[in-house]
Amino acid sequence: MQTDVNSNADILKAIMGSYPTGVTIITTEDVEGKPAGLTANSFVSVSLEPLLVLFCVDARAGSLKAFRQAGRFAVHILAEDQNEVCWRFSSREPNKFDDVEWSWSERRLPILPQSLGLMECQTVQTVEAGDHTIFIGEVVHIEKTDKNPLLYFRRKVGSIPPNWFE
Ligand SMILES: Cc1cc2nc3c(=O)[nH]c(=O)nc-3n(C[C@H](O)[C@H](O)[C@H](O)COP(=O)(O)O)c2cc1C
């Protein structure tokens, strides 16, 4: 057990880095009417009745203001072949949408095609929690495919190992 050299925050980061998750890209519309979004693995489902999900945004994220002001967001659960777009949306690149395929949905949310699943959500609550803001949304539109997910583990992304289901 490490207790001395690292701060508790470093230890927490190391533990959570070894906690495998799926990966999402969450998008919205900014005040200028342009698409905004980021890669996030803080996404979880919360409730089935009503259908609620949440994700957390770092206070330093450029897209935080857009999520606050739009009051709605689209969650893309990434498929295993979407590693390129995963890293693109985790960068500080101001024009993330320039070189990727996307379109506006009926609810005017930026949609990236080819994801495993899509949830368009109306924000119902935000909670300030330390250096993050938690966005809780009600799912108003949902789509699913049978693709395999992209996984995140120790700063790398990859597919489910071939022998996983044996
Ligand atoms: C796998 C992965 C998961 C991430 N999860 C989150 C997250 O849940 N919340 C968050 O604020 N940032 C998360 N990030 C970092 C953001 O994607 C990154 O800070 C991005 O540059 C923010 O973009 P923005 O400044 O344009 O909003 C994650 C990055 C990666 C690679």
Side-chain angles (χ1 to χ4, degrees):
M1 282 287 193
Q2 291 171 302
T3 49
D4 47 357
V5 181
N6 292 325
S7 70
N8 285 346
D10 288 337
I11 297 170
L12 180 69
K13 277 200 272 181
I15 293 172
M16 294 313 290
S18 295
Y19 179 68
T21 64
V23 192
T24 70
I25 289 177
I26 307 185
T27 60
T28 194
E29 180 184 17
D30 76 11
V31 271
E32 293 168 352
K34 291 193 293 193
L38 83 175
T39 298
N41 67 344
S42 56
F43 172 77
V44 285
S45 64
V46 176
S47 158
L48 287 177
E49 188 50 58
L51 223 51
L52 299 177
V53 297
L54 72 74
F55 71 108
C56 309
V57 182
D58 193 312
R60 295 165 299 184
S63 52
L64 175 60
K65 197 171 159 198
F67 285 115
R68 275 194 208 289
Q69 292 181 338
R72 64 194 196 287
F73 56 87
V75 181
H76 305 77
I77 309 288
L78 296 192
E80 61 184 340
D81 58 356
Q82 290 188 292
N83 54 323
E84 233 172 80
V85 81
C86 161
W87 295 125
R88 181 163 182 82
F89 278 79
S90 70
S91 72
R92 305 287 294 189
E93 160 68 56
N95 303 311
K96 290 175 188 174
F97 288 81
D98 274 6
D99 301 317
V100 299
E101 209 185 323
W102 70 276
S103 59
W104 291 110
S105 73
E106 264 176 48
R107 285 153 286 274
R108 199 165 163 85
L109 282 165
I111 304 301
L112 308 167
Q114 318 296 346
S115 62
L116 176 163
L118 170 71
M119 289 164 232
E120 291 185 55
C121 305
Q122 200 66 41
T123 304
V124 292
Q125 201 179 340
T126 59
V127 180
E128 299 306 317
D131 55 15
H132 279 62
T133 302
I134 302 169
F135 288 83
I136 303 173
E138 178 159 5
V139 179
V140 293
H141 176 77
I142 190 160
E143 289 174 28
K144 137 182 200 307
T145 70
D146 291 325
K147 294 180 178 183
N148 284 330
L150 187 68
L151 302 182
Y152 181 71
F153 176 62
R154 293 194 178 151
R155 299 187 178 196
K156 290 185 178 159
V157 292
S159 304
I160 292 177
N163 62 353
W164 177 258
F165 300 109
E166 286 168 10

PDB file of all heavy atoms in Angstrom, residues 41-55:
ATOM      1  N   ASN A  41     -15.577   9.938 -19.173  1.00  0.00           N
ATOM      2  CA  ASN A  41     -15.871   8.582 -18.679  1.00  0.00           C
ATOM      3  C   ASN A  41     -16.586   8.644 -17.321  1.00  0.00           C
ATOM      4  O   ASN A  41     -16.736   7.634 -16.660  1.00  0.00           O
ATOM      5  CB  ASN A  41     -14.608   7.711 -18.610  1.00  0.00           C
ATOM      6  CG  ASN A  41     -13.632   8.183 -17.566  1.00  0.00           C
ATOM      7  OD1 ASN A  41     -13.722   9.303 -17.090  1.00  0.00           O
ATOM      8  ND2 ASN A  41     -12.680   7.330 -17.232  1.00  0.00           N
ATOM      9  N   SER A  42     -17.024   9.852 -16.935  1.00  0.00           N
ATOM     10  CA  SER A  42     -17.760   9.997 -15.668  1.00  0.00           C
ATOM     11  C   SER A  42     -19.245   9.722 -15.865  1.00  0.00           C
ATOM     12  O   SER A  42     -20.042   9.900 -14.949  1.00  0.00           O
ATOM     13  CB  SER A  42     -17.574  11.418 -15.125  1.00  0.00           C
ATOM     14  OG  SER A  42     -17.979  12.363 -16.083  1.00  0.00           O
ATOM     15  N   PHE A  43     -19.613   9.270 -17.051  1.00  0.00           N
ATOM     16  CA  PHE A  43     -21.022   9.031 -17.376  1.00  0.00           C
ATOM     17  C   PHE A  43     -21.563   7.801 -16.634  1.00  0.00           C
ATOM     18  O   PHE A  43     -20.922   6.756 -16.620  1.00  0.00           O
ATOM     19  CB  PHE A  43     -21.167   8.814 -18.887  1.00  0.00           C
ATOM     20  CG  PHE A  43     -22.539   8.383 -19.294  1.00  0.00           C
ATOM     21  CD1 PHE A  43     -23.570   9.301 -19.359  1.00  0.00           C
ATOM     22  CD2 PHE A  43     -22.803   7.054 -19.561  1.00  0.00           C
ATOM     23  CE1 PHE A  43     -24.846   8.906 -19.710  1.00  0.00           C
ATOM     24  CE2 PHE A  43     -24.082   6.647 -19.922  1.00  0.00           C
ATOM     25  CZ  PHE A  43     -25.101   7.577 -19.988  1.00  0.00           C
ATOM     26  N   VAL A  44     -22.730   7.934 -16.009  1.00  0.00           N
ATOM     27  CA  VAL A  44     -23.432   6.769 -15.428  1.00  0.00           C
ATOM     28  C   VAL A  44     -24.943   6.936 -15.586  1.00  0.00           C
ATOM     29  O   VAL A  44     -25.446   8.061 -15.669  1.00  0.00           O
ATOM     30  CB  VAL A  44     -23.151   6.545 -13.909  1.00  0.00           C
ATOM     31  CG1 VAL A  44     -21.789   5.969 -13.660  1.00  0.00           C
ATOM     32  CG2 VAL A  44     -23.376   7.782 -13.079  1.00  0.00           C
ATOM     33  N   SER A  45     -25.648   5.819 -15.606  1.00  0.00           N
ATOM     34  CA  SER A  45     -27.100   5.908 -15.571  1.00  0.00           C
ATOM     35  C   SER A  45     -27.512   5.997 -14.108  1.00  0.00           C
ATOM     36  O   SER A  45     -26.831   5.470 -13.219  1.00  0.00           O
ATOM     37  CB  SER A  45     -27.743   4.709 -16.268  1.00  0.00           C
ATOM     38  OG  SER A  45     -27.439   3.529 -15.585  1.00  0.00           O
ATOM     39  N   VAL A  46     -28.616   6.700 -13.844  1.00  0.00           N
ATOM     40  CA  VAL A  46     -29.023   6.999 -12.470  1.00  0.00           C
ATOM     41  C   VAL A  46     -30.374   6.378 -12.129  1.00  0.00           C
ATOM     42  O   VAL A  46     -30.544   5.763 -11.082  1.00  0.00           O
ATOM     43  CB  VAL A  46     -29.102   8.533 -12.251  1.00  0.00           C
ATOM     44  CG1 VAL A  46     -29.624   8.868 -10.866  1.00  0.00           C
ATOM     45  CG2 VAL A  46     -27.743   9.172 -12.470  1.00  0.00           C
ATOM     46  N   SER A  47     -31.364   6.553 -13.010  1.00  0.00           N
ATOM     47  CA  SER A  47     -32.738   6.160 -12.677  1.00  0.00           C
ATOM     48  C   SER A  47     -33.459   5.666 -13.936  1.00  0.00           C
ATOM     49  O   SER A  47     -33.183   6.152 -15.039  1.00  0.00           O
ATOM     50  CB  SER A  47     -33.460   7.388 -12.108  1.00  0.00           C
ATOM     51  OG  SER A  47     -34.858   7.281 -12.227  1.00  0.00           O
ATOM     52  N   LEU A  48     -34.371   4.703 -13.744  1.00  0.00           N
ATOM     53  CA  LEU A  48     -35.166   4.207 -14.871  1.00  0.00           C
ATOM     54  C   LEU A  48     -36.534   4.889 -14.931  1.00  0.00           C
ATOM     55  O   LEU A  48     -37.160   4.969 -15.976  1.00  0.00           O
ATOM     56  CB  LEU A  48     -35.349   2.686 -14.770  1.00  0.00           C
ATOM     57  CG  LEU A  48     -34.104   1.853 -15.089  1.00  0.00           C
ATOM     58  CD1 LEU A  48     -34.390   0.379 -14.872  1.00  0.00           C
ATOM     59  CD2 LEU A  48     -33.629   2.087 -16.515  1.00  0.00           C
ATOM     60  N   GLU A  49     -37.025   5.385 -13.785  1.00  0.00           N
ATOM     61  CA  GLU A  49     -38.341   6.024 -13.741  1.00  0.00           C
ATOM     62  C   GLU A  49     -38.277   7.289 -12.896  1.00  0.00           C
ATOM     63  O   GLU A  49     -38.333   7.172 -11.663  1.00  0.00           O
ATOM     64  CB  GLU A  49     -39.366   5.032 -13.169  1.00  0.00           C
ATOM     65  CG  GLU A  49     -40.796   5.500 -13.242  1.00  0.00           C
ATOM     66  CD  GLU A  49     -41.197   6.000 -14.619  1.00  0.00           C
ATOM     67  OE1 GLU A  49     -41.105   5.253 -15.590  1.00  0.00           O
ATOM     68  OE2 GLU A  49     -41.584   7.197 -14.693  1.00  0.00           O
ATOM     69  N   PRO A  50     -38.029   8.456 -13.477  1.00  0.00           N
ATOM     70  CA  PRO A  50     -37.823   8.704 -14.899  1.00  0.00           C
ATOM     71  C   PRO A  50     -36.428   8.256 -15.336  1.00  0.00           C
ATOM     72  O   PRO A  50     -35.581   7.941 -14.489  1.00  0.00           O
ATOM     73  CB  PRO A  50     -37.978  10.219 -15.011  1.00  0.00           C
ATOM     74  CG  PRO A  50     -37.504  10.733 -13.697  1.00  0.00           C
ATOM     75  CD  PRO A  50     -37.916   9.700 -12.685  1.00  0.00           C
ATOM     76  N   LEU A  51     -36.185   8.295 -16.650  1.00  0.00           N
ATOM     77  CA  LEU A  51     -34.908   7.870 -17.222  1.00  0.00           C
ATOM     78  C   LEU A  51     -33.874   8.982 -17.018  1.00  0.00           C
ATOM     79  O   LEU A  51     -33.897   9.989 -17.729  1.00  0.00           O
ATOM     80  CB  LEU A  51     -35.135   7.630 -18.719  1.00  0.00           C
ATOM     81  CG  LEU A  51     -34.535   6.408 -19.369  1.00  0.00           C
ATOM     82  CD1 LEU A  51     -34.877   5.138 -18.611  1.00  0.00           C
ATOM     83  CD2 LEU A  51     -35.023   6.302 -20.800  1.00  0.00           C
ATOM     84  N   LEU A  52     -32.980   8.800 -16.038  1.00  0.00           N
ATOM     85  CA  LEU A  52     -31.996   9.839 -15.731  1.00  0.00           C
ATOM     86  C   LEU A  52     -30.570   9.306 -15.873  1.00  0.00           C
ATOM     87  O   LEU A  52     -30.299   8.148 -15.528  1.00  0.00           O
ATOM     88  CB  LEU A  52     -32.172  10.352 -14.295  1.00  0.00           C
ATOM     89  CG  LEU A  52     -33.504  10.996 -13.939  1.00  0.00           C
ATOM     90  CD1 LEU A  52     -33.525  11.386 -12.458  1.00  0.00           C
ATOM     91  CD2 LEU A  52     -33.761  12.229 -14.806  1.00  0.00           C
ATOM     92  N   VAL A  53     -29.677  10.164 -16.364  1.00  0.00           N
ATOM     93  CA  VAL A  53     -28.249   9.840 -16.454  1.00  0.00           C
ATOM     94  C   VAL A  53     -27.469  11.034 -15.909  1.00  0.00           C
ATOM     95  O   VAL A  53     -28.030  12.122 -15.743  1.00  0.00           O
ATOM     96  CB  VAL A  53     -27.820   9.567 -17.922  1.00  0.00           C
ATOM     97  CG1 VAL A  53     -28.548   8.356 -18.488  1.00  0.00           C
ATOM     98  CG2 VAL A  53     -28.044  10.790 -18.807  1.00  0.00           C
ATOM     99  N   LEU A  54     -26.184  10.841 -15.626  1.00  0.00           N
ATOM    100  CA  LEU A  54     -25.365  11.988 -15.204  1.00  0.00           C
ATOM    101  C   LEU A  54     -23.956  11.889 -15.752  1.00  0.00           C
ATOM    102  O   LEU A  54     -23.492  10.805 -16.117  1.00  0.00           O
ATOM    103  CB  LEU A  54     -25.350  12.132 -13.682  1.00  0.00           C
ATOM    104  CG  LEU A  54     -24.590  11.150 -12.784  1.00  0.00           C
ATOM    105  CD1 LEU A  54     -23.084  11.326 -12.828  1.00  0.00           C
ATOM    106  CD2 LEU A  54     -25.052  11.326 -11.334  1.00  0.00           C
ATOM    107  N   PHE A  55     -23.278  13.037 -15.803  1.00  0.00           N
ATOM    108  CA  PHE A  55     -21.840  13.075 -16.072  1.00  0.00           C
ATOM    109  C   PHE A  55     -21.272  14.299 -15.367  1.00  0.00           C
ATOM    110  O   PHE A  55     -22.026  15.186 -14.938  1.00  0.00           O
ATOM    111  CB  PHE A  55     -21.535  13.090 -17.579  1.00  0.00           C
ATOM    112  CG  PHE A  55     -21.875  14.379 -18.280  1.00  0.00           C
ATOM    113  CD1 PHE A  55     -20.878  15.242 -18.714  1.00  0.00           C
ATOM    114  CD2 PHE A  55     -23.196  14.732 -18.515  1.00  0.00           C
ATOM    115  CE1 PHE A  55     -21.185  16.439 -19.367  1.00  0.00           C
ATOM    116  CE2 PHE A  55     -23.515  15.926 -19.164  1.00  0.00           C
ATOM    117  CZ  PHE A  55     -22.506  16.768 -19.587  1.00  0.00           C
TER     118      PHE A  55
END
